[in-house]
Amino acid sequence: MLAIHHYSKEEIMALLEAAIAFSEGRSAKVKEQVFVSNLFFEDSTRTKTSFDVAERKLGLEVVPFDVTHSSVNKGETLYDTVKTLESIGVQLFVIRHKKNKYYEELAGIKSAVVNGGDGTGNHPSQCLLDLMTIYQEFGTFKNLKVGIVGDVQHSRVANSNADALRKMGAKVYFSGPEDWFDEAEFINGNYLSLDALISEVDVLMLLRIQHERHGEKMKMSLDKYHKKYGLTKEREKKMKPNAIIMHPAPINRGVEIHTDLVECKRSRIFKQMENGVYARMAILKDALEKKGIKFIEP
């Protein structure tokens, strides 16, 4: 699982059905001892922790890896790090890295690799949990209107979700600071102002401002951002009665979204986090089965 666009509509649906089954109580345990390791070269709370939980639920042996105390700090390459752990016995890697398409460097690796996020490129497990959350809510993707709002240019979430949602039959629109959209080719002209978008969409997906990826020309005061591009209480009142709010988190409260709306009736933000475990269980099981690893499903 490197990028969601590698998967057909049918394959995505199969993963969704597996994730939903896990959320409804289905269990699966690996038949043999399997070692996995989560290599996170960028900070993470939700993704790394939910992969940890998903791996343990599947009966996998998690080999800890802390980049700050590894030979990466002595100049070891990503390939050599992965090859070393593979030689020791690790059979699956979940990797987050700041470099886009870092996985192209791992062509000689025999173990399974799951992309936990590559630069501004792809975030397939976040995409699957987002699709799961939407599907649970509406039971379909066909003709749903989804608005993705915010720092789109730097968002691997926006990149993965836009592709997958269109493939599944949804209509995807974008909003946010126009100066931040220069390199986001997947928008395909579907840009609307937030105030034009807000009353049209069934799903409002807000994105974190990724300050760590911004240059000086993209600096904007947080208060100004909230007033022009954030979900204020006034804007929330204009949403469709059954429309939902999503955010991949971490959340900049009072910036992308008013703090009172983070856990409002429309919000599915913490439901997304809950679904992250089940979506990642489905991804891990699928990746290992493709390597010939068998599971027991009571």
Side-chain angles (χ1 to χ4, degrees):
M1 173 61 93
L2 303 177
I4 203 73
H5 63 257
H6 295 161
Y7 286 71
S8 68
K9 180 178 178 180
E10 292 72 26
E11 288 170 327
I12 292 171
M13 201 65 226
L15 285 170
L16 283 177
E17 289 170 353
I20 290 168
F22 282 132
S23 76
E24 294 173 346
R26 180 182 295 177
S27 63
K29 295 287 184 182
V30 71
K31 288 185 72 174
E32 60 193 85
Q33 190 177 53
V34 175
F35 293 102
V36 304
S37 193
N38 302 315
L39 279 55
F40 277 64
F41 296 85
E42 289 187 318
D43 295 340
S44 174
T45 298
R46 276 148 295 278
T47 303
K48 186 176 186 301
T49 304
S50 59
F51 266 116
D52 281 341
V53 173
E55 288 154 1
R56 286 170 170 81
K57 281 180 174 286
L58 293 171
L60 305 173
E61 300 279 355
V62 183
V63 178
F65 179 84
D66 180 357
V67 67
T68 62
H69 294 92
S70 74
S71 292
V72 170
N73 298 309
K74 300 177 181 179
E76 186 171 72
T77 65
L78 174 62
Y79 175 86
D80 285 341
T81 297
V82 174
K83 189 67 177 178
T84 296
L85 293 171
E86 181 181 66
S87 300
I88 292 168
V90 175
Q91 294 156 273
L92 182 146
F93 297 90
V94 178
I95 303 175
R96 171 173 289 187
H97 202 280
K98 64 182 179 181
K99 183 178 179 180
N100 285 23
K101 297 184 179 179
Y102 67 80
Y103 42 80
E104 292 179 349
E105 300 175 21
L106 304 178
I109 299 300
K110 297 177 182 178
S111 300
V113 176
V114 173
N115 183 6
D118 63 297
T120 59
N122 295 278
H123 199 344
S125 66
Q126 178 71 44
C127 179
L128 191 68
L129 74 89
D130 288 343
L131 293 178
M132 179 182 175
T133 305
I134 293 169
Y135 191 75
Q136 286 173 324
E137 192 74 27
F138 298 101
T140 186
F141 297 100
K142 189 174 182 180
N143 295 325
L144 279 181
K145 293 182 179 180
V146 180
I148 301 178
V149 179
D151 194 358
V152 171
Q153 180 177 323
H154 297 100
S155 177
R156 52 194 171 211
V157 175
N159 192 6
S160 292
N161 283 7
D163 183 76
L165 284 163
R166 287 171 176 149
K167 186 176 288 185
M168 303 306 286
K171 298 177 181 179
V172 184
Y173 303 89
F174 300 88
S175 191
E178 292 185 67
D179 292 345
W180 296 5
F181 281 57
D182 295 347
E183 300 171 22
E185 297 176 0
F186 54 85
I187 292 169
N188 293 331
N190 290 333
Y191 177 90
L192 294 172
S193 71
L194 182 54
D195 289 310
L197 183 76
I198 201 80
S199 62
E200 295 294 321
V201 296
D202 303 292
V203 179
L204 186 66
M205 189 175 293
L206 306 168
L207 302 173
R208 179 179 71 87
I209 301 176
Q210 300 195 36
H211 299 285
E212 68 274 17
R213 303 187 198 275
H214 284 206
E216 280 302 315
K217 70 173 185 175
M218 298 182 74
K219 298 296 183 186
M220 181 185 299
S221 76
L222 301 185
D223 184 60
K224 180 180 177 182
Y225 183 93
H226 184 65
K227 287 178 180 177
K228 291 192 69 173
Y229 307 108
L231 183 59
T232 62
K233 287 185 173 183
E234 292 74 22
R235 288 192 176 109
E236 184 272 334
K237 292 173 184 175
K238 298 176 183 177
M239 294 176 68
K240 288 181 179 180
N242 296 320
I244 62 172
I245 299 164
M246 298 175 65
H247 193 305
I251 306 157
N252 292 307
R253 288 174 179 258
V255 183
E256 299 106 24
I257 181 171
H258 192 286
T259 190
D260 291 350
L261 299 177
V262 173
E263 296 184 72
C264 72
K265 188 176 180 180
R266 294 184 186 277
S267 176
R268 299 296 179 271
I269 295 172
F270 286 94
K271 182 66 174 176
Q272 289 172 262
M273 297 178 200
E274 178 187 333
N275 284 341
V277 173
Y278 307 120
R280 288 167 176 128
M281 288 175 73
I283 288 168
L284 291 164
K285 182 172 179 288
D286 179 68
L288 287 169
E289 286 179 331
K290 287 175 178 173
K291 291 292 185 180
I293 304 296
K294 297 186 183 300
F295 285 79
I296 300 169
E297 298 185 54

